[in-house]
Amino acid sequence: MTSISRRGFLVGATVVGGGLLMGYAATRPSRHQQANEQFGSPESPFLTTWLRIDQDNTVTIYVPHSEMGQGVLTSVPMMAADELDADWDLVNVEQAPVDDQFANGVLVKGFATSMGVTIPSFLNRMADYATLKAAQIMNMQITGGSSSVRFTGEIGMRTAGAAARQMLVESAAAQWGVPAAELETANSFVMHSGSGRRISYGELATTASQLEPPRAPVLKRPDQFTLMGRSIPRTDIPAKVDGTAQFGIDAQPENMLYAAVLNAPVFGATLAAVNNKAAIMQRRGIQAVVELEDAVAVVADNYWRASQAVQALDVSFAGTEYDQSTSDSIFAGYEVALDNEERHDDVVEGDADTALSDASNVITASYRVPYLAHAAMEPMNCTVHVTDNGIDVWTGTQDNLGIRGQVAGVAEVDENQVRVHACYLGGGFGRRLPTSTNTIEQATRIAMQFDVPVQTLWSREEDTRQDYYRPAVTSRFRASFDSNGNLNAWENTYIGKNEPAEAAHISYGVPNKNIRYVESPTHVPFGAWRSVAHSQHTFFLESFTDELAWQQQMDPLAFRLSLLADKPRHRRVLQEAADRAGWGQPLPEGRAQGIALQECFGSVVAQVAEISLRDDGSVKVEKVVCALDCGRVVHPDNAASQVESGIIYGLTAALYGQISIEDGKVKESNFHDYEMVRLSETPDIESILLESPGAPVGGLGEPATPPIAAAVSNAVFALTGQRIRELPLKRYQFLPTPQEDGARSA
């Protein structure tokens, strides 16, 4: 869920011309030397930026990502520790300090590589320098885009661990006067088999840290892994079990006050007047009523008093041109744009226009999805303390350096004067990226008026009505078949191109493609949402693909397989999911299956959903089988958890998710009208983790979310004969139709 475009990454790196690849710099002084000067000591030296080894033989691994339940503080350090041959029992894991030294330039290189950018070896030094400077300028410690393991882990942490191991071996070889080739490493020791000598990493760390990290250390083969591929206990679980885990909302610096906020209900409106400010100030515990450009806050000695007071405010906001806007008018505007606005090319291959004009039968369909909120479990919050010595910030964020820059910009101070105290996140899904939250700036402006810490805490209602939403989208399709029944043309025009760039692309082999988009901006703010644009487009693409299969009277699985002749990974994943789900086998009466496929974030995922109908005509998802190929699995249990989590998150969107606009503002307010899938509704989920040797390591946090809506909707058609072209499914009441041989009409 990264909100910074990949193109933006590359432009930033090109402009500044400087950076990092493996957690240490190519220039003098090297990055690990800078880390030693700032954060290390002779007794606790850094061997690379991410790795510090103490004299007692403990290894500390610094992770430049935030823990929001995805297990990043386990899977990523595992990769460094494995390459280091460290004893995991002696490994400490810490979130990287919020400092330029720990800006994550690896992400720049990773996203560039994922776009197919190849950097010649003789330019690696320049590219390394460029990526670090880009990350520092952009304040990059981002957690999102399923990038932690596939980029930071695979490119950065593995290399850092292997480099540190090589430095330790060279140090031991010099100390013993033996060739480095005669030495081995295991469990945080270097050993010489010829003499039986061994020495701990801790004893070697100080001298090894004086060496320069090698630029291209030899990485292990998969058959040499000792940690990767194992489901070792997660490092964040004990604190979450015993209650010592600190989330942003847990911050309680001394003398802290609380701020409750009421934002302008129509996006873009400004505060006009607060009519009963004096009366509110007479309430017990009230410290101030703070007027902001587009909001008003009440600050009190506890949150209950602040929240009750802000609800009692008599407030008016200025009118806007959007005061009459509704969801219907927004979608109507999309239709006008699709009919009349300029089309921008996304994918153009062959001559789809001619193929469609020559076809005797053109299949058309139009789909749409509404705005969606993030609905993270921990309410939005930020605690800020402004002093003469700088600014302290406590919050859970998906980009600590980005938040540091945001606070510094609002307060007009140097970024080095802002100290961010990193916390766990009670859910993120993109909502806690700097570009997807408006809480941080508010909290800073409010706290600037006090000499004590102030925690700004949004109610659930404010979070639901003031989110940066997943965009509402409309997507139109046309397709045709040649005289031999082969799919020969695919046309798709949709509203608004968002990240990632390939979200609307198809994996299927079609000779003539015409994929275009038009822009139709609205006043509703949007931001990254779990799996970003894949979540909308997979529903569109796989629903339309299913329509084409039924139109041709073909089995939906067989139809898809026939279009994947040159995609062995996709065929394998699709077939595995179908086989494990018993595709084509008799089902209990009143049940049906639907299937969907997508490639995203370097992984290929297929899902089969089995559904039934409740007595009231609503959909019950009985079982989901998900096969996912992420190249290589680092932590199997964690991977399976991410798959299950992604399915449940996507299922909530498919069944219930809908943010409605009425009179320019959001109608929904809390979980009673913005529903979630509950535990009692959660289907049985079978996760099948496949590996493709040689394939790049793919993401896991997001790929399982996109296919579920299409899989369930396609199952609804198989059961009822009713094609779903608009979500959520709660809009419909279904009645089953008798099962028939052959295809139903779409």
Side-chain angles (χ1 to χ4, degrees):
M1 295 161 298
T2 182
S3 62
I4 297 177
S5 72
R6 298 180 185 182
R7 188 175 294 106
F9 279 126
L10 298 178
V11 169
T14 301
V15 169
V16 298
L20 162 77
L21 170 61
M22 310 174 205
Y24 46 84
T27 58
R28 301 291 194 274
S30 68
R31 197 177 177 199
H32 90 288
Q33 290 174 338
Q34 297 175 40
N36 275 316
E37 292 173 3
Q38 290 182 251
F39 301 98
S41 69
E43 297 77 24
S44 301
F46 284 80
L47 272 69
T48 76
T49 301
W50 310 129
L51 296 174
R52 193 191 78 212
I53 301 179
D54 295 354
Q55 288 184 345
D56 64 0
N57 211 24
T58 59
V59 176
T60 301
I61 301 175
Y62 294 91
V63 180
H65 290 288
S66 300
E67 179 61 72
M68 52 185 179
Q70 80 281 36
V72 69
L73 294 185
T74 304
S75 53
V76 168
M78 278 174 61
M79 303 173 82
D82 198 328
E83 293 289 352
L84 180 61
D85 271 339
D87 183 343
W88 185 251
D89 292 335
L90 300 177
V91 172
N92 297 319
V93 177
E94 294 186 17
Q95 192 164 335
V98 186
D99 187 274
D100 284 345
Q101 183 64 38
F102 295 90
N104 193 358
V106 173
L107 292 184
V108 181
K109 192 67 172 279
F111 278 109
T113 303
S114 72
M115 294 178 66
V117 176
T118 301
I119 300 175
S121 58
F122 69 90
L123 291 179
N124 269 339
R125 185 183 185 91
M126 182 183 299
D128 293 351
Y129 182 64
T131 53
L132 173 59
K133 300 310 293 184
Q136 290 175 339
I137 288 174
M138 292 165 31
N139 285 312
M140 189 181 297
Q141 280 186 336
I142 288 176
T143 303
S146 289
S147 60
S148 301
V149 168
R150 66 177 177 140
F151 295 154
T152 303
E154 187 69 9
I155 301 173
M157 287 292 174
R158 287 190 64 194
T159 305
R165 176 186 173 277
Q166 185 172 326
M167 294 160 69
L168 291 162
V169 168
E170 290 177 1
S171 181
Q175 182 171 324
W176 289 338
V178 298
E182 294 182 5
L183 303 182
E184 298 177 346
T185 56
N187 295 318
S188 296
F189 279 86
V190 179
M191 297 159 289
H192 183 237
S193 56
S195 63
R197 286 179 292 186
R198 75 173 196 160
I199 187 170
S200 73
Y201 287 176
E203 295 173 276
L204 293 166
T206 300
T207 56
S209 69
Q210 305 305 309
L211 302 174
E212 281 301 305
R215 294 185 52 76
V218 177
L219 302 180
K220 289 183 177 181
R221 303 185 309 273
D223 63 341
Q224 296 173 313
F225 295 160
T226 57
L227 293 173
M228 286 184 277
R230 291 173 51 195
S231 296
I232 62 178
R234 278 175 45 168
T235 60
D236 59 312
I237 297 301
K240 292 177 177 177
V241 171
D242 65 24
T244 59
Q246 292 294 298
F247 294 81
I249 201 171
D250 295 323
Q252 288 187 326
E254 189 175 359
N255 299 320
M256 185 177 77
L257 298 175
Y258 297 82
V261 179
L262 177 67
N263 293 279
V266 177
F267 307 111
T270 56
L271 180 65
V274 180
N275 302 310
N276 61 341
K277 185 173 181 178
I280 294 297
M281 287 298 299
Q282 298 302 311
R283 290 187 171 215
R284 182 183 178 189
I286 303 303
Q287 303 296 307
V289 176
V290 180
E291 298 183 26
L292 303 172
E293 182 181 3
D294 58 354
V296 60
V298 175
V299 181
D301 56 2
N302 67 43
Y303 179 70
W304 174 254
R305 290 170 182 162
S307 64
Q308 291 299 297
V310 83
Q311 292 176 41
L313 285 173
D314 179 10
V315 181
S316 60
F317 293 91
T320 77
E321 61 181 298
Y322 306 110
D323 288 355
Q324 304 305 313
S325 178
T326 66
S327 292
D328 287 343
S329 68
I330 288 171
F331 279 116
Y334 288 173
E335 296 299 328
V336 172
L338 288 166
D339 287 336
N340 302 302
E341 294 297 326
E342 178 186 1
R343 284 166 166 71
H344 305 279
D345 290 344
D346 190 348
V347 176
V348 177
E349 297 177 4
D351 188 352
D353 290 338
T354 299
L356 288 164
S357 63
D358 291 345
S360 58
N361 181 26
V362 175
I363 301 92
T364 64
S366 181
Y367 300 85
R368 70 186 198 185
V369 292
Y371 292 104
L372 293 181
H374 293 82
M377 186 57 66
E378 180 189 8
M380 300 303 293
N381 65 87
C382 181
T383 303
V384 180
H385 188 195
V386 181
T387 71
D388 293 338
N389 297 320
I391 302 176
D392 288 280
V393 181
W394 294 263
T395 192
T397 171
Q398 291 176 244
D399 187 354
N400 284 297
L401 275 176
I403 294 301
R404 184 189 70 165
Q406 197 172 40
V407 171
V410 172
E412 297 183 342
V413 301
D414 186 274
E415 291 181 354
N416 292 319
Q417 292 182 265
V418 179
R419 298 174 290 271
V420 177
H421 305 270
C423 302
Y424 285 125
L425 284 63
F429 317 116
R431 179 66 167 120
R432 286 185 158 91
L433 287 166
T435 52
S436 295
T437 178
N438 30 13
T439 312
I440 308 302
E441 290 190 10
Q442 275 190 355
T444 305
R445 295 189 189 282
I446 294 168
M448 287 172 65
Q449 302 191 34
F450 295 86
D451 58 4
V452 296
V454 181
Q455 182 178 94
T456 298
L457 177 61
W458 279 21
S459 67
R460 177 64 60 188
E461 287 77 12
E462 284 302 299
D463 186 29
T464 302
R465 290 173 170 163
Q466 299 292 330
D467 203 341
Y468 279 62
Y469 303 92
R470 188 192 79 166
V473 179
T474 297
S475 187
R476 292 178 178 176
F477 292 87
R478 293 199 304 160
S480 64
F481 294 83
D482 63 20
S483 58
N484 295 318
N486 299 312
L487 182 63
N488 72 338
W490 176 283
E491 180 186 84
N492 177 204
T493 308
Y494 61 90
I495 292 291
K497 186 170 181 60
N498 292 304
E499 292 294 325
E502 70 278 6
H505 303 178
I506 59 174
S507 300
Y508 303 115
V510 184
N512 302 295
K513 301 175 189 174
N514 191 340
I515 303 175
R516 294 190 171 104
Y517 63 95
V518 301
E519 298 293 354
S520 183
T522 74
H523 75 298
V524 182
F526 69 90
W529 190 92
R530 191 172 188 170
S531 78
V532 276
H534 280 293
S535 69
Q536 299 107 319
H537 285 289
T538 303
F539 168 65
F540 303 149
L541 303 177
E542 283 299 281
S543 295
F544 188 58
T545 300
D546 216 67
E547 291 204 40
L548 297 178
W550 285 95
Q551 198 276 341
Q552 290 296 101
Q553 299 188 30
M554 287 187 66
D555 173 77
L557 169 64
F559 181 74
R560 287 171 169 83
L561 291 173
S562 71
L563 299 172
L564 294 169
D566 60 344
K567 297 288 182 66
R569 286 182 73 195
H570 296 67
R571 289 179 60 87
R572 180 190 178 208
V573 166
L574 193 62
Q575 190 68 63
E576 186 70 23
D579 289 346
R580 294 284 282 269
W583 184 271
Q585 301 300 312
L587 294 171
E589 184 177 355
R591 294 194 184 189
Q593 292 178 327
I595 196 166
L597 171 75
Q598 181 61 301
E599 177 181 1
C600 53
F601 304 101
S603 296
V604 182
V605 58
Q607 292 172 6
V608 175
E610 183 175 323
I611 71 159
S612 64
L613 297 180
R614 298 186 178 90
D615 292 340
D616 64 359
S618 64
V619 173
K620 180 181 180 182
V621 183
E622 303 280 358
K623 184 176 182 179
V624 177
V625 176
C626 178
L628 186 145
D629 180 354
C630 62
R632 188 175 68 251
V633 178
V634 173
H635 191 294
D637 279 356
N638 204 42
S641 295
Q642 287 297 287
V643 169
E644 293 165 3
S645 167
I647 289 171
I648 293 169
Y649 198 75
L651 189 58
T652 283
L655 295 177
Y656 303 121
Q658 182 169 350
I659 288 293
S660 309
I661 306 299
E662 291 185 359
D663 299 325
K665 55 194 175 185
V666 171
K667 174 184 176 182
E668 289 74 22
S669 62
N670 207 316
F671 291 135
H672 71 285
D673 57 3
Y674 192 75
E675 300 171 75
M676 302 283 110
V677 167
R678 292 165 170 79
L679 183 62
S680 61
E681 301 172 276
T682 303
D684 293 334
I685 299 175
E686 182 179 356
S687 302
I688 307 160
L689 300 174
L690 305 173
E691 295 185 295
S692 291
V697 171
L700 277 166
E702 299 177 276
T705 296
I708 188 64
V712 171
S713 297
N714 292 338
V716 168
F717 176 78
L719 183 62
T720 70
Q722 185 169 345
R723 180 60 67 182
I724 306 304
R725 296 196 179 103
E726 182 177 357
L727 295 176
L729 289 166
K730 72 176 183 180
R731 301 175 66 256
Y732 306 88
Q733 188 175 38
F734 301 101
L735 294 175
T737 57
Q739 296 288 336
E740 303 171 357
D741 294 332
R744 294 190 178 89
S745 170

